[in-house]
Amino acid sequence: MSLGAIVKSVISGDSLLLWGKSINGQPPKERVLHLADISAPRMGTSTREDEMWAYESREFLRTLVVGKSITFTTTHSLPHNSDDVERDIGSAQINGVDLTSELLKNGWAKLKDLKRDHTDEDLQRINLEKEASTALKGIWNSHGPKAHAVHYMMPTDSYAFVTEWKGQSIDAIVENVKDGSTLRVRLLMPDGDHQFINIALAGVRCPRVSSKQGEFSEPFGEEAKFFTEFRLLQRSVRVQILSLPSSTATPFQVGANAVAPPVVSIFIGTVLHPAGNVAEHLVSNGYAHVVGWHAGMLASGGAMERLREAERTAKQNHARLYANASSAPAKTNGSAVNGSARAFEATVVRVWSADQISVVDKASAKERRLQFSSIRGPKLSDPRQAFYAQEAREFLRKRLIGKHVKVTVDFIRPKEGDFEERECATVRYGGQNVNIAEQLIEKGLASVVRHKRDDEDRSPDYDKLMAAEQVAVTELRGIHSGKDHPAPKQPLNISETHSRAAPFINGFKRLGKISAVVEYVAAGSRFKIFLPKDNQVLTLVLSGIRAPRTARNSSEKSEPYGTEASDFATRRFMQRDVEIEVHDVDKSGGFIGALYLNKTENAAITLVREGLATVHAYSADGLSWARQLNDAEEAAKKERRNIWSDYDEQAEVIAKAPQEGDVDALKPEYLDVIISDVRTNNGLNFSVQILNTEGIASLEKLMRDFSLHHKSAPAAPGFAPKGGDLVSAKFSDGSWYRAKVRRASPLKKEAEVTFIDYGNQDTVSFANIRPLDAKFRSLPGQAHDARLSFIKLVDPSSEYHPEAVDRFRTLCEGRKLIANVDHREGSLLHLRLMDTDPSVSHDPSASINADLLRDGLATIDRKNCRYIAAYPTVHKTLREATNAAKKERQGIFEFGDVEEDD
């Protein structure tokens, strides 16, 4: 009786392994069929070589019948083999063609000696064999098969083999299926040799199948094996070897003295059939789990994305291994911790480590500490990792501090031991929404966490992170380089004591603005500053202000708004690139100075404007930005910001009234002056020379000698002046004058200077600057900085401001005048300017100050000239001048009473 079966595999040119009918996907029963009356060469094993033509004979039959339905008839049965598989001798047909006759016809088998009377069928087969022999077909070919070596064992140098063939597509035949995702294949190498390898399908893992008596297979293991066998066993495929079993070298384990990798028993790769990738079908049918850490090797071509899509399909269908899988909702909405949003926009305010940052939620203004999902950074506490830990932290600082980011909280890591509960998030920045964690991984500054298979708490970009790590490993970047870097040296703390700090003060003053990084904010006006160039840290105390004190421990109590000031300074300046200027050093070793963010924002002014610091009058008095500090404080008072929330303007006026009365008027001090320079970049200021003095007489002689000196003095090649230096500088008129360097730029090779005998300022190239000879240093600078007493010109935003400046220049510039010193503000003289006409020179009403008021081009400056109360007669005259301008609609009063609010 004829039976039907499917050919599972071809053992040799005369033997088949057959499958019966499968029921509900279960593996069917197997049986071996030996074709009667013929013999073919036997295939080799690891212990014996192939007989001649064995592979070619097997290949002929394999390509003819594997995976196809046949009919067969058994003549008699043989004892079962060790695996309890039935064995029969008989004949088989495919599509009506007798396999025995087909083999004989093509010369791939020989007839055995038939010890029976020949039937018609026997005679026909004898004739087929003779024809094949005569035609030298198959095994009758006297030239023998093409020579090739067959290597049944895995390559002895696994690492070298993978390195040579990684990523290349090699023709192969699947010879055995161990389980659904583990195969033994025959690689048909380009040189003609055959190399057997064991290969695990990249990206998937099927349940294990028992290999020993008494063992049990994992659930769905046998079904997964049958699924793969049915589609791939003894099929022609294309194999790509991707990796050794360990996908990545463990960071800090590989070095110059690393031991060569041992011989491995399996490779990881892809096996592609013309009909597709069986790995994807295994997953979508619920026979395999996705192996996340293979994502790196499957990055190209979207292979991992297709596996994830297959995984989603299996979960939706609750297929086999995913029967209990829940379709987890997207975690981008809803709440995270304490009702906070899961997806939000924020500003990065601090980098804690290579994998942790703090951000301020823009919507709630709440600060949140985040852990990057699914990555682990190097540890600063480990000497071998410290270099990369610092590199990673600096990478994050430069890219994220102060930047706008988009945050999605992926999961919450629960509290465990000493570790607090932490929000784990994906942080994206920039126009391209780049995942910062992916950049860290790609640069070799962090590694990817290997999550457990059923651990759904992971980054949504996990596969991309694995792909980035594969790039870093391949290119030996960062922690994967195998290079040993010594731990970074601890920076020198130059603020440890006053005696250590003091020697640095003059050098800092000469440097002017110094590039630095705010390492820590100790209080609103106290910072720990890192100087990268010199690997030094110092304490910087902002000059000119006082911020409320912050408690240093639990036993202390912060002053009102101390915590707010500290928090504001932390969010605004922490870990930012800044510039500092140092003016002095305090008794504890702290440097007193200024801190600038983005080159122009003065931290002291910002804190005062926010109402989180007050102006310290004594220390602010000598600062060039004292006026801005006072203006910022007045603005904070008016808006009742923070410290000034309970500010009572009337009470302050009453409190200050007696104090103003206490300011004494100076005795009249009339001086002959000439205005040598006028400056309008920050209000109206000017420089004067005081005539009829020994200094001016000495200056005239000095300038004659100075001119003769520079006619013969040699140039000073390579001279690079520094801030604060006294020098000789050539003015635009071609003459040389004494000057003081305000700041110098070695890059541009130019310096900003103030000509100390005339007060004007200019930018001069290094080529036109020389050291000032010692004999010209003894005479003090003859230019004195000054401003107008009692008044100020109209605001620069006013359309009348240019007219006011022109009017002042017309009245004063280059003219000999009489000046009375009404007030001294440090070295700044407050002057009442008068014409030299004797009839009016001593009449207060005839001053140029009053003339400007009378023209409607100035207003009384009550804010910055509080000494005005000490000059009641002058004050009355000035008010009358202002009223006259209003009445006659002069200047700013052209369209009515619009006097500025003082």
Side-chain angles (χ1 to χ4, degrees):
M1 182 180 70
S2 185
L3 301 173
I6 293 175
V7 179
K8 175 182 177 181
S9 63
V10 174
I11 301 170
S12 63
D14 57 8
S15 300
L16 310 173
L17 183 60
L18 307 179
W19 266 324
K21 187 176 181 181
S22 174
I23 301 175
N24 296 327
Q26 295 296 315
K29 193 173 182 180
E30 298 177 358
R31 69 194 302 166
V32 175
L33 178 66
H34 300 287
L35 296 178
D37 299 332
I38 64 170
S39 64
R42 295 175 66 194
M43 296 290 289
T45 66
S46 59
T47 57
R48 70 169 192 273
E49 294 183 357
D50 288 357
E51 293 181 359
M52 187 177 293
W53 297 109
Y55 171 73
E56 291 78 7
S57 174
R58 198 281 303 259
E59 280 299 281
F60 174 80
L61 189 56
R62 181 187 69 81
T63 56
L64 182 64
V65 299
V66 163
K68 299 175 183 177
S69 297
I70 64 168
T71 57
F72 67 95
T73 305
T74 62
T75 54
H76 64 275
S77 298
L78 298 173
H80 292 194
N81 64 15
S82 58
D83 294 326
D84 199 29
V85 175
E86 293 183 34
R87 295 193 302 152
D88 298 302
I89 297 176
S91 60
Q93 296 80 36
I94 181 169
N95 298 325
V97 177
D98 179 64
L99 294 184
T100 301
S101 298
E102 197 68 14
L103 284 161
L104 292 169
K105 177 182 175 181
N106 287 276
W108 294 119
K110 293 181 179 180
L111 275 172
K112 294 180 180 178
D113 291 334
L114 301 177
K115 298 177 180 179
R116 64 171 181 263
D117 294 335
H118 293 178
T119 63
D120 291 341
E121 186 180 35
D122 293 337
L123 294 173
Q124 184 181 1
R125 290 176 175 175
I126 291 170
N127 289 333
L128 289 173
E129 183 180 49
K130 287 180 179 179
E131 289 174 3
S133 175
T134 303
L136 302 178
K137 290 183 178 181
I139 61 177
W140 306 108
N141 189 329
S142 58
H143 298 293
K146 182 180 178 181
H148 64 264
V150 181
H151 307 286
Y152 287 96
M153 305 299 290
M154 286 284 287
T156 54
D157 191 341
S158 305
Y159 181 80
F161 188 83
V162 171
T163 301
E164 181 178 1
W165 297 103
K166 184 176 181 178
Q168 298 187 44
S169 185
I170 307 171
D171 287 322
I173 299 168
V174 177
E175 296 287 358
N176 181 257
V177 177
K178 181 179 179 181
D179 59 45
S181 56
T182 307
L183 315 176
R184 181 168 174 79
V185 300
R186 178 194 295 258
L187 299 179
L188 307 179
M189 306 304 290
D191 61 2
D193 287 354
H194 296 182
Q195 175 65 61
F196 278 75
I197 64 167
N198 301 320
I199 190 164
L201 298 180
V204 300
R205 181 190 178 278
C206 291
R208 192 172 59 85
V209 175
S210 65
S211 58
K212 297 178 183 178
Q213 192 74 24
E215 285 186 348
F216 293 96
S217 298
E218 294 177 349
F220 300 106
E222 297 290 349
E223 293 89 331
K225 178 182 178 182
F226 172 62
F227 185 92
T228 302
E229 283 182 329
F230 189 79
R231 288 158 177 78
L232 290 189
L233 185 61
Q234 285 203 341
R235 307 303 205 282
S236 295
V237 293
R238 301 283 291 178
V239 169
Q240 276 191 334
I241 299 171
L242 300 178
S243 174
L244 295 168
S246 177
S247 65
T248 60
T250 304
F252 313 110
Q253 296 284 320
V254 177
N257 300 320
V259 179
V263 178
V264 299
S265 59
I266 196 167
F267 296 141
I268 298 171
T270 58
V271 177
L272 301 178
H273 186 273
N277 186 349
V278 73
E280 296 169 21
H281 296 287
L282 282 165
V283 174
S284 63
N285 284 277
Y287 287 122
H289 287 290
V290 175
V291 179
W293 63 270
H294 285 183
M297 34 181 122
L298 295 173
S300 60
M304 200 64 188
E305 287 83 351
R306 291 191 293 273
L307 286 178
R308 291 297 184 191
E309 183 60 36
E311 184 180 49
R312 284 190 284 272
T313 300
K315 287 180 177 180
Q316 290 169 2
N317 296 334
H318 297 284
R320 298 176 180 88
L321 293 173
Y322 300 93
N324 298 320
S326 59
S327 299
K331 297 182 180 180
T332 54
N333 298 313
S335 63
V337 177
N338 300 325
S340 301
R342 278 195 180 274
F344 59 94
E345 297 187 4
T347 301
V348 179
V349 294
R350 185 165 186 176
V351 175
W352 293 94
S353 64
D355 51 22
Q356 289 190 30
I357 62 172
S358 281
V359 302
V360 173
D361 187 334
K362 288 199 170 182
S364 66
K366 177 184 175 184
E367 185 171 325
R368 299 167 70 169
R369 184 165 173 170
L370 306 174
Q371 168 91 35
F372 295 139
S373 298
S374 299
I375 76 166
R376 183 178 292 114
K379 301 301 180 186
L380 196 61
S381 57
D382 184 341
R384 294 196 66 192
Q385 302 183 42
F387 173 83
Y388 294 107
Q390 188 161 301
E391 288 283 300
R393 189 166 175 265
E394 184 66 4
F395 175 83
L396 289 175
R397 188 190 70 80
K398 287 185 175 179
R399 274 165 176 72
L400 295 187
I401 280 293
K403 298 297 194 317
H404 171 85
V405 295
K406 295 178 180 178
V407 179
T408 304
V409 178
D410 303 316
F411 58 94
I412 311 301
R413 191 184 70 192
K415 182 176 181 180
E416 185 177 343
D418 295 333
F419 296 99
E420 295 295 322
E421 181 179 78
R422 184 78 67 232
E423 293 180 287
C424 297
T426 298
V427 178
R428 304 181 189 277
Y429 77 103
Q432 303 297 319
N433 283 331
V434 178
N435 184 348
I436 189 66
E438 187 176 346
Q439 287 195 326
L440 279 169
I441 295 293
E442 191 170 309
K443 290 184 176 294
L445 297 176
S447 57
V448 183
V449 175
R450 267 52 174 178
H451 292 286
K452 294 179 181 178
R453 186 181 63 207
D454 55 352
D455 184 3
E456 295 296 332
D457 287 341
R458 61 177 67 191
S459 168
D461 288 355
Y462 188 76
D463 294 342
K464 291 182 179 179
L465 296 180
M466 289 301 309
E469 185 172 66
Q470 187 70 22
V471 172
V473 171
T474 301
E475 300 189 11
L476 301 178
R477 296 177 183 169
I479 60 178
H480 309 289
S481 66
K483 296 178 181 177
D484 290 329
H485 291 276
K489 291 183 179 179
Q490 288 297 313
L492 175 67
N493 182 5
I494 61 174
S495 285
E496 196 169 29
T497 61
H498 175 82
S499 58
R500 170 167 281 186
F504 291 91
I505 187 68
N506 290 332
F508 285 154
K509 284 182 177 180
R510 285 196 300 271
L511 289 173
K513 288 186 176 180
I514 306 166
S515 296
V517 177
V518 177
E519 190 167 283
Y520 181 70
V521 177
S525 59
R526 196 174 188 87
F527 304 87
K528 184 178 180 181
I529 302 295
F530 174 57
L531 306 180
K533 184 178 178 181
D534 302 308
N535 196 32
Q536 296 170 341
V537 292
L538 58 86
T539 298
L540 180 73
V541 182
L542 298 182
S543 58
I545 68 169
R546 183 189 181 279
R549 187 176 177 182
T550 307
R552 289 174 292 183
N553 52 59
S554 57
S555 63
E556 291 185 356
K557 186 177 180 181
S558 295
E559 293 179 353
Y561 294 98
T563 302
E564 289 84 345
S566 179
D567 289 347
F568 176 84
T570 298
R571 293 183 179 186
R572 186 70 178 164
F573 305 112
M574 180 74 168
Q575 293 183 329
R576 301 291 189 97
D577 288 314
V578 296
E579 290 180 316
I580 64 168
E581 277 184 335
V582 174
H583 308 144
D584 207 345
V585 63
D586 63 24
K587 61 183 180 181
S588 65
F591 291 88
I592 302 170
L595 184 147
Y596 296 91
L597 178 66
N598 300 325
K599 294 190 177 295
T600 57
E601 180 184 334
N602 187 316
I605 296 173
T606 299
L607 284 161
V608 171
R609 188 182 297 115
E610 291 294 326
L612 295 170
T614 56
V615 176
H616 187 259
Y618 177 77
S619 62
D621 189 49
L623 299 176
S624 61
W625 62 87
R627 181 174 296 176
Q628 291 100 305
L629 280 175
N630 289 318
D631 289 346
E633 187 172 69
E634 287 300 316
K637 288 178 179 178
K638 287 181 180 179
E639 297 173 16
R640 288 182 166 81
R641 286 175 172 261
N642 296 310
I643 291 173
W644 308 108
S645 57
D646 298 325
Y647 171 65
D648 187 339
E649 187 174 5
Q650 294 299 324
E652 184 179 59
V653 170
I654 294 170
K656 283 190 173 182
Q659 297 173 4
E660 291 180 357
D662 292 338
V663 178
D664 295 330
L666 298 181
K667 290 181 180 180
E669 184 183 356
Y670 295 104
L671 305 170
D672 291 330
V673 300
I674 187 168
I675 295 179
S676 56
D677 183 58
V678 177
R679 301 179 293 279
T680 60
N681 57 341
N682 187 17
L684 177 68
N685 289 277
F686 51 91
S687 295
V688 299
Q689 288 181 332
I690 301 175
L691 306 177
N692 303 322
T693 63
E694 291 183 7
I696 289 297
S698 300
L699 178 63
E700 292 174 357
K701 180 179 184 303
L702 180 144
M703 290 308 299
R704 288 194 298 271
D705 296 342
F706 203 63
S707 177
L708 292 172
H709 172 78
H710 279 285
K711 284 182 179 178
S712 59
F719 176 59
K722 300 182 180 65
D725 286 356
L726 285 175
V727 297
S728 298
K730 184 185 285 189
F731 190 53
S732 55
D733 63 359
S735 299
W736 292 84
Y737 299 92
R738 298 192 303 165
K740 185 174 184 177
V741 178
R742 297 175 64 210
R743 58 177 62 88
S745 172
L747 184 64
K748 295 181 180 179
K749 294 190 178 302
E750 61 184 25
E752 294 179 26
V753 302
T754 299
F755 293 95
I756 62 175
D757 296 313
Y758 299 91
N760 46 351
Q761 298 170 353
D762 199 4
T763 300
V764 183
S765 70
F766 283 5
N768 291 326
I769 299 177
R770 297 176 183 174
L772 183 63
D773 194 277
K775 63 185 177 182
F776 299 117
R777 289 175 176 261
S778 58
L779 181 68
Q782 294 302 299
H784 302 270
D785 290 337
R787 59 157 290 174
L788 291 171
S789 301
F790 312 120
I791 73 166
K792 62 179 179 180
L793 292 190
V794 294
D795 191 85
S797 61
S798 170
E799 62 181 298
Y800 295 97
H801 184 258
E803 183 182 346
V805 173
D806 288 343
R807 179 65 173 155
F808 177 81
R809 289 182 184 276
T810 301
L811 291 172
C812 303
E813 194 167 30
R815 293 183 60 204
K816 182 179 179 181
L817 300 170
I818 294 174
N820 183 62
V821 180
D822 294 310
H823 183 68
R824 295 180 185 272
E825 185 183 336
S827 61
L828 182 69
L829 304 177
H830 289 235
L831 301 180
R832 203 176 339 145
L833 299 176
M834 292 161 280
D835 198 272
T836 55
D837 185 340
S839 62
V840 299
S841 60
H842 297 289
D843 180 3
S845 64
S847 69
I848 291 172
N849 308 47
D851 289 345
L852 290 168
L853 289 174
R854 202 171 286 113
D855 291 336
L857 299 175
T859 59
I860 297 174
D861 189 2
R862 296 181 180 87
K863 175 180 169 183
N864 295 302
C865 300
R866 292 178 178 173
Y867 54 85
I868 195 170
Y871 296 87
T873 303
V874 176
H875 191 188
K876 179 181 177 182
T877 302
L878 297 178
R879 287 200 306 270
E880 289 173 353
T882 300
N883 291 333
K886 292 179 181 179
K887 185 176 180 180
E888 297 173 14
R889 295 187 179 275
Q890 293 291 327
I892 61 173
F893 305 111
E894 181 181 358
F895 300 106
D897 187 354
V898 291
E899 187 173 8
E900 296 175 338
D901 184 11
D902 292 313

